[in-house]
Amino acid sequence: VDLIASMQAAEALKWLSGNAAAMHGTLFQADLWQHRYTPLNVSKSKRSDCPACSRHQYSYLDDNELESAAVSLCGRNTMQISPRQNSKINMDALAARLRQAGKVEQNPFLIRYRRDEQITAVLFPDGRALIQGTEDLVVAKRIYNEIYGI
């Protein structure tokens, strides 16, 4: 936390002092579990057709209790899907069922399920999922429903 806060503060000071040219200009990803740090160039990730990126509209935050919330993570070819009602998923049972259909990696915090060559899903105990390999909402929701048996 201290490292990330210090980096954010330094970037803010560069901006506020009028020294924007000294800013790093990338998104910094820290994988503390594997002790890896990666700067990600996201300068070309902003899309003119994305309501959040271009118009600052966040319709996925609207309260609709009937369906899960889904949002595309711009430039990442990933859809994040969150159930409207928090649930407690039995991760061991889910992993066992998914092993019959694809490759599964599991740790105490998540399941990574490689469905096929294009689609990987990262699944969390509260029902959230990252569906990687698509930006199509219909495809992502279909895969989410298949995984959770909805």
Side-chain angles (χ1 to χ4, degrees):
V1 172
D2 293 342
L3 174 66
I4 300 302
S6 296
M7 293 175 70
Q8 290 175 330
E11 291 297 293
L13 288 171
K14 291 174 191 176
W15 176 262
L16 293 170
S17 67
N19 196 5
M23 293 178 69
H24 197 263
T26 62
L27 178 67
F28 183 78
Q29 179 180 8
D31 180 349
L32 299 179
W33 192 261
Q34 298 294 325
H35 197 68
R36 289 188 220 149
Y37 307 95
T38 308
L40 301 171
N41 183 353
V42 294
S43 62
K44 294 184 172 106
S45 296
K46 186 175 180 179
R47 296 188 338 226
S48 60
D49 65 333
C50 174
C53 289
S54 63
R55 297 185 300 277
H56 303 287
Q57 296 174 345
Y58 308 101
S59 60
Y60 51 85
L61 296 175
D62 293 341
D63 189 23
N64 180 354
E65 295 181 18
L66 298 178
E67 67 177 72
S68 56
V71 61
S72 174
L73 304 181
C74 292
R76 302 298 299 249
N77 197 29
T78 299
M79 296 293 295
Q80 176 176 295
I81 301 178
S82 301
R84 283 295 174 183
Q85 296 178 346
N86 282 343
S87 56
K88 182 71 175 148
I89 304 296
N90 181 330
M91 298 295 274
D92 292 329
L94 179 60
R97 185 170 54 79
L98 293 175
R99 278 190 185 94
Q100 298 172 8
K103 182 180 176 188
V104 172
E105 298 173 43
Q106 182 180 8
N107 67 40
F109 310 103
L110 60 86
I111 295 171
R112 182 178 308 271
Y113 165 57
R114 181 107 172 137
R115 183 175 176 262
D116 54 39
E117 290 300 315
Q118 287 83 32
I119 301 294
T120 298
V122 180
L123 312 166
F124 300 93
D126 64 358
R128 288 177 300 124
L130 298 174
I131 309 297
Q132 301 169 325
T134 186
E135 288 186 358
D136 185 322
L137 175 62
V138 174
V139 169
K141 283 189 171 186
R142 180 176 45 81
I143 292 167
Y144 180 87
N145 291 342
E146 287 173 6
I147 289 170
Y148 287 109
I150 298 173

